[in-house]
Amino acid sequence: MSDAPACVIVTADDFGLDPAVNEAVAQAHDRGILSAASLMVGAGAAAEAADIARARPTLGVGLHLVLTDGQAVLPRSDIPDLVDATGRFREGMASAGARFFFRPRVRRQLAAEIRAQYEAFVATGLPLDHVNAHKHFHVHPTILSLALKIGRDYGLRAMRWPSEPRGDASQAASGDGRALFEAALMTPWLRGMRRRIRAAGVVSNDRLLGLRATGHMTESRVLAAIEAARTGPVAEIYGHPACRNHLNAAMADYDHTGEYDALVSPRVIEALQKAGLQPIRFADLADRATANDAARNTL
């Protein structure tokens, strides 16, 4: 591992949400620094996204589990406690999280939907690069347990660890203290989450850059993230690039086009090169871990 070049994972979330996201992912991989994308298998443009990915085998594509603010894969008749009459997940992550944890019937439906999303990903024919969840809902212990357990059946090797230490490249876009206070409260929870990921034999990034600037990872913030990533260990820089703004009401204030521009910016590309950072996929991280384990076992 010490002989390997310094690396960073650069990921776009919400792949498949809209053709404008798909176009941004394709262009940011072809012309910029993007190395991975997280696919929403139940979204309207998911089939197009899969076609784009199959034409780009160097793009690491993972499963972006959608369990809030989106459309389910299973019909409402199979998961009536999870979705509304239109098949969309019920709003309110706090209330949904409580039901996931305390109600066995709801947990069974949740497990069925998670498995269905894994199955839908397998149906694309793409290798599974990583898994994470929309709005980082996999920090919830029930979702995390199910994603890890079910993922074993589908070749899960890597999962995003959504931890951005304070002062690590991107502060809250608004600059308020509340986000930093909430991040501090989450620290013990996130440490436990990482222990569980590792115990499952799954690799992860060591930190996530862009979390507190979600929707606003424009050029200046990506440049700052590259500088932070340069010092190691393995960082993931993530964003929500698209070739137009106002994709939906939940992301009304996101600067999708600014995030896309950052990923193809000549200044950003040059900064990455000067930092000696190689954009990699999660699969590359998993391959390195496997090679290291094999080397240790031969000693």
Side-chain angles (χ1 to χ4, degrees), residues 145-209:
S145 293
L146 291 172
L148 290 170
K149 180 180 178 181
I150 296 169
R152 286 199 294 265
D153 296 336
Y154 299 94
L156 173 63
R157 301 171 67 207
M159 178 176 282
R160 171 185 291 163
W161 186 47
S163 176
E164 182 177 47
R166 284 175 290 174
D168 228 3
S170 58
Q171 300 300 321
S174 63
D176 64 42
R178 179 180 175 183
L180 299 180
F181 176 68
E182 290 175 348
L185 289 178
M186 284 293 293
T187 298
W189 193 288
L190 288 167
R191 286 174 180 162
M193 178 185 185
R194 192 171 200 200
R195 285 194 296 270
R196 294 178 66 188
I197 292 172
R198 286 176 167 174
V202 174
V203 303
S204 68
N205 53 303
D206 295 302
R207 52 200 167 123
L208 182 66
L209 304 179

Coordinates of all heavy atoms in Angstrom, one line a residue, residues 145-209:
S145 N -27.5 -2.3 8.7 CA -27.5 -3.7 8.9 C -28.0 -4.5 7.7 O -27.4 -5.5 7.2 CB -28.2 -4.1 10.2 OG -27.6 -3.7 11.3
L146 N -29.1 -4.0 7.2 CA -29.7 -4.7 6.0 C -28.9 -4.5 4.8 O -28.7 -5.4 4.0 CB -31.2 -4.2 5.8 CG -32.2 -4.5 6.9 CD1 -33.5 -3.8 6.7 CD2 -32.4 -6.0 6.9
A147 N -28.4 -3.3 4.6 CA -27.5 -3.1 3.4 C -26.3 -3.9 3.4 O -25.9 -4.5 2.3 CB -27.2 -1.6 3.3
L148 N -25.7 -4.1 4.6 CA -24.5 -5.0 4.7 C -24.9 -6.4 4.5 O -24.2 -7.2 3.8 CB -23.8 -4.7 6.0 CG -23.1 -3.4 6.2 CD1 -22.7 -3.2 7.6 CD2 -21.9 -3.3 5.2
K149 N -25.9 -6.9 5.2 CA -26.3 -8.3 5.2 C -26.8 -8.7 3.8 O -26.3 -9.7 3.3 CB -27.4 -8.5 6.2 CG -27.9 -10.0 6.3 CD -29.0 -10.2 7.3 CE -29.5 -11.6 7.4 NZ -30.6 -11.8 8.4
I150 N -27.7 -8.0 3.2 CA -28.2 -8.3 1.9 C -27.1 -8.1 0.9 O -27.0 -8.9 -0.1 CB -29.4 -7.4 1.6 CG1 -30.6 -7.8 2.6 CG2 -29.9 -7.7 0.2 CD1 -31.8 -6.8 2.5
G151 N -26.3 -7.1 1.1 CA -25.2 -6.8 0.1 C -24.2 -8.0 -0.1 O -23.7 -8.1 -1.2
R152 N -24.1 -8.8 0.9 CA -23.2 -10.0 0.8 C -23.6 -10.9 -0.4 O -22.8 -11.5 -1.0 CB -23.2 -10.8 2.1 CG -22.4 -10.2 3.2 CD -22.0 -11.2 4.3 NE -23.2 -11.7 5.0 CZ -23.6 -11.2 6.1 NH1 -23.0 -10.2 6.7 NH2 -24.7 -11.8 6.7
D153 N -24.9 -10.9 -0.6 CA -25.5 -11.8 -1.7 C -25.2 -11.2 -3.1 O -25.4 -11.9 -4.1 CB -27.0 -12.0 -1.5 CG -27.3 -12.7 -0.3 OD1 -26.5 -13.5 0.3 OD2 -28.5 -12.6 0.2
Y154 N -24.8 -9.9 -3.1 CA -24.6 -9.3 -4.4 C -23.2 -8.7 -4.6 O -23.0 -7.8 -5.4 CB -25.6 -8.1 -4.5 CG -27.1 -8.7 -4.5 CD1 -27.7 -8.7 -3.3 CD2 -27.7 -9.2 -5.6 CE1 -29.0 -9.2 -3.2 CE2 -29.0 -9.7 -5.5 CZ -29.6 -9.7 -4.3 OH -30.9 -10.2 -4.3
G155 N -22.2 -9.2 -3.8 CA -20.9 -8.8 -4.1 C -20.5 -7.5 -3.5 O -19.5 -6.9 -4.0
L156 N -21.1 -7.1 -2.4 CA -20.8 -5.8 -1.8 C -19.3 -5.8 -1.3 O -19.0 -6.7 -0.5 CB -21.7 -5.5 -0.7 CG -21.4 -4.3 0.2 CD1 -21.4 -3.0 -0.6 CD2 -22.3 -4.2 1.4
R157 N -18.5 -4.9 -1.7 CA -17.1 -4.8 -1.2 C -16.8 -3.4 -0.6 O -15.8 -3.3 0.1 CB -16.2 -5.1 -2.4 CG -16.4 -6.4 -3.1 CD -15.5 -6.5 -4.4 NE -14.1 -6.5 -4.1 CZ -13.2 -6.0 -4.9 NH1 -13.5 -5.5 -6.1 NH2 -11.9 -6.1 -4.6
A158 N -17.6 -2.4 -1.0 CA -17.2 -1.1 -0.5 C -18.5 -0.3 -0.2 O -19.5 -0.4 -0.9 CB -16.4 -0.3 -1.6
M159 N -18.4 0.6 0.8 CA -19.5 1.4 1.2 C -19.0 2.8 1.6 O -17.9 2.9 2.2 CB -20.3 0.8 2.4 CG -21.4 1.6 2.9 SD -22.4 0.7 4.2 CE -23.3 -0.4 3.2
R160 N -19.8 3.8 1.3 CA -19.4 5.2 1.7 C -19.5 5.3 3.2 O -20.5 4.9 3.8 CB -20.2 6.2 1.0 CG -20.0 7.6 1.6 CD -21.0 8.6 1.0 NE -20.6 8.9 -0.4 CZ -21.4 9.4 -1.3 NH1 -22.7 9.8 -0.9 NH2 -21.1 9.6 -2.5
W161 N -18.5 5.9 3.8 CA -18.6 6.3 5.2 C -18.7 7.8 5.3 O -17.8 8.6 4.9 CB -17.3 5.9 6.0 CG -17.3 6.2 7.5 CD1 -18.3 5.9 8.3 CD2 -16.3 6.9 8.2 NE1 -18.0 6.3 9.6 CE2 -16.7 6.9 9.6 CE3 -15.0 7.4 7.9 CZ2 -16.0 7.4 10.6 CZ3 -14.3 7.9 9.0 CH2 -14.8 8.0 10.3
P162 N -19.9 8.3 5.6 CA -20.2 9.8 5.5 C -19.8 10.6 6.6 O -20.6 11.2 7.4 CB -21.8 9.8 5.4 CG -22.2 8.6 6.2 CD -21.1 7.6 6.0
S163 N -18.5 10.7 6.8 CA -17.9 11.5 7.9 C -17.0 12.5 7.4 O -16.0 12.2 6.7 CB -17.1 10.5 8.9 OG -16.5 11.2 9.9
E164 N -17.3 13.8 7.7 CA -16.4 14.9 7.3 C -16.0 15.6 8.6 O -16.8 16.4 9.2 CB -17.2 15.9 6.4 CG -16.3 17.0 5.9 CD -17.0 17.9 4.9 OE1 -18.2 18.3 5.2 OE2 -16.4 18.3 3.9
P165 N -14.8 15.4 9.0 CA -14.3 16.1 10.2 C -14.4 17.6 10.1 O -14.2 18.2 9.0 CB -12.8 15.6 10.3 CG -12.8 14.3 9.6 CD -13.8 14.5 8.5
R166 N -14.6 18.3 11.2 CA -14.6 19.7 11.2 C -13.3 20.3 10.7 O -12.2 19.8 11.0 CB -14.9 20.2 12.6 CG -16.3 20.1 13.0 CD -16.5 20.5 14.5 NE -15.9 19.6 15.4 CZ -15.8 19.8 16.7 NH1 -16.3 20.8 17.2 NH2 -15.2 18.9 17.5
G167 N -13.4 21.3 9.9 CA -12.3 22.0 9.3 C -11.7 21.2 8.1 O -10.7 21.6 7.6
D168 N -12.4 20.2 7.6 CA -11.9 19.4 6.5 C -12.4 19.8 5.2 O -13.3 19.2 4.7 CB -12.2 17.9 6.8 CG -11.0 17.0 6.6 OD1 -9.9 17.5 6.3 OD2 -11.1 15.8 6.7
A169 N -12.0 20.9 4.7 CA -12.3 21.4 3.4 C -13.5 22.2 3.2 O -13.5 23.2 2.6 CB -12.2 20.3 2.3
S170 N -14.7 21.7 3.6 CA -15.9 22.4 3.3 C -16.8 22.5 4.5 O -17.2 21.6 5.1 CB -16.7 21.6 2.2 OG -17.0 20.3 2.6
Q171 N -16.9 23.7 4.9 CA -17.8 24.0 6.0 C -19.3 24.1 5.5 O -19.5 24.0 4.3 CB -17.4 25.3 6.7 CG -16.0 25.3 7.3 CD -15.8 24.2 8.3 OE1 -16.7 23.9 9.1 NE2 -14.6 23.5 8.3
A172 N -20.2 24.3 6.4 CA -21.6 24.4 6.0 C -21.7 25.5 5.0 O -21.1 26.6 5.2 CB -22.5 24.7 7.2
A173 N -22.5 25.3 4.0 CA -22.6 26.3 2.9 C -23.1 27.6 3.5 O -22.7 28.7 3.0 CB -23.5 25.8 1.8
S174 N -23.9 27.6 4.5 CA -24.5 28.8 5.1 C -23.6 29.4 6.1 O -23.8 30.5 6.6 CB -25.9 28.5 5.7 OG -25.7 27.5 6.8
G175 N -22.6 28.6 6.6 CA -21.7 29.0 7.6 C -22.2 29.0 9.0 O -21.6 29.5 9.9
D176 N -23.4 28.4 9.2 CA -24.0 28.4 10.5 C -23.4 27.4 11.4 O -22.8 26.4 11.0 CB -25.6 28.2 10.4 CG -26.0 26.9 9.9 OD1 -25.4 25.9 10.3 OD2 -26.9 26.8 9.1
G177 N -23.5 27.6 12.7 CA -22.9 26.7 13.7 C -23.8 25.4 13.9 O -23.2 24.5 14.5
R178 N -25.0 25.5 13.5 CA -25.9 24.3 13.8 C -25.4 23.1 13.1 O -25.4 22.0 13.8 CB -27.3 24.6 13.4 CG -28.3 23.5 13.6 CD -29.7 23.8 13.1 NE -30.6 22.7 13.3 CZ -31.8 22.6 12.9 NH1 -32.4 23.7 12.3 NH2 -32.6 21.6 13.0
A179 N -25.0 23.2 11.9 CA -24.5 22.0 11.1 C -23.2 21.4 11.8 O -23.1 20.2 11.9 CB -24.2 22.4 9.7
L180 N -22.4 22.3 12.3 CA -21.2 21.8 13.0 C -21.5 21.2 14.3 O -20.9 20.2 14.6 CB -20.2 23.0 13.2 CG -19.7 23.7 11.9 CD1 -18.8 24.9 12.3 CD2 -19.0 22.8 11.0
F181 N -22.5 21.7 15.0 CA -22.9 21.1 16.3 C -23.5 19.7 16.0 O -23.2 18.8 16.7 CB -24.0 22.0 16.9 CG -24.5 21.4 18.2 CD1 -23.7 21.3 19.3 CD2 -25.9 21.0 18.2 CE1 -24.3 20.8 20.5 CE2 -26.4 20.5 19.4 CZ -25.6 20.4 20.5
E182 N -24.3 19.6 15.0 CA -24.9 18.3 14.6 C -23.9 17.3 14.2 O -23.9 16.1 14.6 CB -26.0 18.5 13.5 CG -27.2 19.2 14.0 CD -28.2 19.5 12.8 OE1 -27.7 19.3 11.6 OE2 -29.3 19.9 13.1
A183 N -22.8 17.8 13.5 CA -21.7 16.9 13.1 C -21.0 16.4 14.3 O -20.6 15.2 14.3 CB -20.8 17.7 12.2
A184 N -20.8 17.3 15.3 CA -20.1 16.8 16.5 C -20.9 15.7 17.2 O -20.4 14.8 17.8 CB -19.8 18.0 17.4
L185 N -22.2 15.9 17.3 CA -23.1 14.9 17.9 C -23.1 13.6 17.2 O -23.2 12.5 17.8 CB -24.5 15.4 18.0 CG -24.8 16.6 18.9 CD1 -26.3 17.0 18.8 CD2 -24.5 16.2 20.4
M186 N -22.8 13.6 15.9 CA -22.8 12.4 15.1 C -21.6 11.6 15.2 O -21.5 10.4 14.8 CB -23.1 12.7 13.6 CG -24.6 13.1 13.3 SD -25.6 11.6 13.5 CE -25.0 10.6 12.1
T187 N -20.5 12.2 15.7 CA -19.2 11.6 15.7 C -19.1 10.2 16.3 O -18.7 9.2 15.7 CB -18.1 12.5 16.3 OG1 -18.0 13.7 15.6 CG2 -16.8 11.8 16.4
P188 N -19.7 10.0 17.5 CA -19.6 8.7 18.1 C -20.4 7.7 17.3 O -20.1 6.5 17.1 CB -20.2 8.8 19.5 CG -20.1 10.3 19.8 CD -20.2 11.0 18.5
W189 N -21.6 8.1 16.8 CA -22.4 7.3 15.9 C -21.7 6.8 14.7 O -21.7 5.6 14.3 CB -23.7 8.1 15.5 CG -24.8 7.2 15.0 CD1 -24.8 6.7 13.7 CD2 -26.0 6.9 15.6 NE1 -26.0 6.0 13.5 CE2 -26.8 6.2 14.6 CE3 -26.6 7.2 16.8 CZ2 -28.1 5.7 14.9 CZ3 -27.9 6.8 17.1 CH2 -28.6 6.0 16.2
L190 N -21.0 7.8 14.1 CA -20.2 7.4 12.8 C -19.1 6.5 13.1 O -18.8 5.6 12.3 CB -19.7 8.7 12.2 CG -20.8 9.6 11.5 CD1 -20.3 11.0 11.2 CD2 -21.4 8.9 10.3
R191 N -18.4 6.6 14.2 CA -17.4 5.7 14.6 C -17.9 4.3 14.7 O -17.3 3.3 14.2 CB -16.7 6.1 15.9 CG -15.8 7.4 15.7 CD -15.3 7.8 17.1 NE -14.4 9.0 16.9 CZ -14.1 9.8 17.9 NH1 -14.6 9.6 19.1 NH2 -13.4 10.9 17.7
G192 N -19.0 4.2 15.4 CA -19.7 2.8 15.5 C -20.1 2.3 14.1 O -19.9 1.1 13.8
M193 N -20.5 3.2 13.2 CA -20.9 2.8 11.9 C -19.7 2.2 11.1 O -19.8 1.2 10.5 CB -21.5 4.0 11.1 CG -21.8 3.7 9.7 SD -22.4 5.2 8.8 CE -22.8 4.5 7.2
R194 N -18.6 2.9 11.3 CA -17.4 2.4 10.6 C -16.9 1.1 11.1 O -16.4 0.2 10.4 CB -16.2 3.4 10.7 CG -15.1 3.1 9.7 CD -14.1 4.1 9.6 NE -13.4 3.9 8.3 CZ -12.2 4.4 8.1 NH1 -11.6 5.2 9.0 NH2 -11.6 4.3 6.9
R195 N -17.0 0.9 12.4 CA -16.6 -0.4 13.0 C -17.5 -1.5 12.4 O -17.0 -2.6 12.1 CB -16.7 -0.4 14.5 CG -15.6 0.4 15.2 CD -15.6 0.1 16.7 NE -16.9 0.6 17.4 CZ -17.0 1.8 17.9 NH1 -16.0 2.7 17.8 NH2 -18.1 2.1 18.5
R196 N -18.8 -1.3 12.2 CA -19.6 -2.3 11.7 C -19.3 -2.6 10.2 O -19.4 -3.7 9.7 CB -21.1 -1.8 11.8 CG -21.5 -1.8 13.3 CD -22.9 -1.3 13.4 NE -23.9 -2.2 12.9 CZ -25.2 -2.0 12.7 NH1 -25.7 -0.8 13.1 NH2 -26.0 -2.9 12.2
I197 N -19.0 -1.5 9.4 CA -18.6 -1.7 8.0 C -17.4 -2.6 7.9 O -17.3 -3.5 7.2 CB -18.4 -0.3 7.4 CG1 -19.7 0.4 7.2 CG2 -17.8 -0.5 6.0 CD1 -19.6 1.9 6.8
R198 N -16.4 -2.3 8.8 CA -15.1 -3.1 8.7 C -15.4 -4.5 9.2 O -14.8 -5.4 8.6 CB -14.1 -2.4 9.6 CG -13.5 -1.1 9.0 CD -12.6 -0.4 10.0 NE -11.8 0.6 9.3 CZ -11.0 1.4 10.0 NH1 -10.8 1.3 11.3 NH2 -10.3 2.3 9.3
A199 N -16.2 -4.7 10.2 CA -16.5 -6.0 10.7 C -17.1 -6.9 9.7 O -17.0 -8.1 9.7 CB -17.3 -5.9 12.0
A200 N -17.8 -6.2 8.7 CA -18.5 -7.0 7.6 C -17.5 -7.3 6.5 O -17.9 -7.9 5.5 CB -19.7 -6.2 7.1
G201 N -16.3 -6.9 6.6 CA -15.3 -7.1 5.6 C -15.4 -6.2 4.4 O -15.0 -6.5 3.3
V202 N -16.0 -5.0 4.6 CA -16.3 -4.1 3.6 C -15.4 -2.9 3.8 O -15.2 -2.4 4.9 CB -17.8 -3.6 3.6 CG1 -18.1 -2.5 2.6 CG2 -18.7 -4.8 3.3
V203 N -14.8 -2.4 2.7 CA -13.9 -1.2 2.8 C -14.7 0.1 2.6 O -15.9 0.1 2.1 CB -12.8 -1.3 1.7 CG1 -12.0 -2.5 1.8 CG2 -13.4 -1.1 0.3
S204 N -14.1 1.2 3.0 CA -14.7 2.5 2.9 C -13.7 3.5 2.7 O -12.5 3.3 2.9 CB -15.6 2.8 4.1 OG -14.8 3.0 5.3
N205 N -14.1 4.7 2.3 CA -13.3 5.9 2.3 C -13.0 6.2 3.8 O -13.7 5.8 4.7 CB -14.0 7.1 1.7 CG -15.4 7.3 2.3 OD1 -16.3 6.4 2.3 ND2 -15.6 8.5 2.8
D206 N -12.0 7.0 4.0 CA -11.6 7.4 5.4 C -12.2 8.7 5.8 O -12.3 9.0 7.0 CB -10.1 7.6 5.5 CG -9.4 6.2 5.3 OD1 -9.6 5.3 6.0 OD2 -8.5 6.1 4.3
R207 N -12.7 9.5 4.9 CA -13.5 10.7 5.2 C -14.2 11.2 3.9 O -13.8 10.8 2.8 CB -12.5 11.8 5.7 CG -11.3 12.1 4.8 CD -10.3 12.9 5.6 NE -9.0 12.9 4.9 CZ -8.4 14.0 4.5 NH1 -8.8 15.2 4.9 NH2 -7.2 13.9 3.9
L208 N -15.2 12.0 4.1 CA -16.0 12.5 3.0 C -15.9 14.0 2.9 O -16.2 14.6 3.9 CB -17.5 12.0 3.2 CG -18.5 12.4 2.1 CD1 -18.1 11.7 0.8 CD2 -19.9 12.1 2.5
L209 N -15.5 14.5 1.8 CA -15.4 16.0 1.6 C -16.5 16.5 0.8 O -16.7 16.0 -0.3 CB -14.1 16.3 1.0 CG -12.8 15.7 1.8 CD1 -11.5 16.1 1.1 CD2 -12.8 16.2 3.2

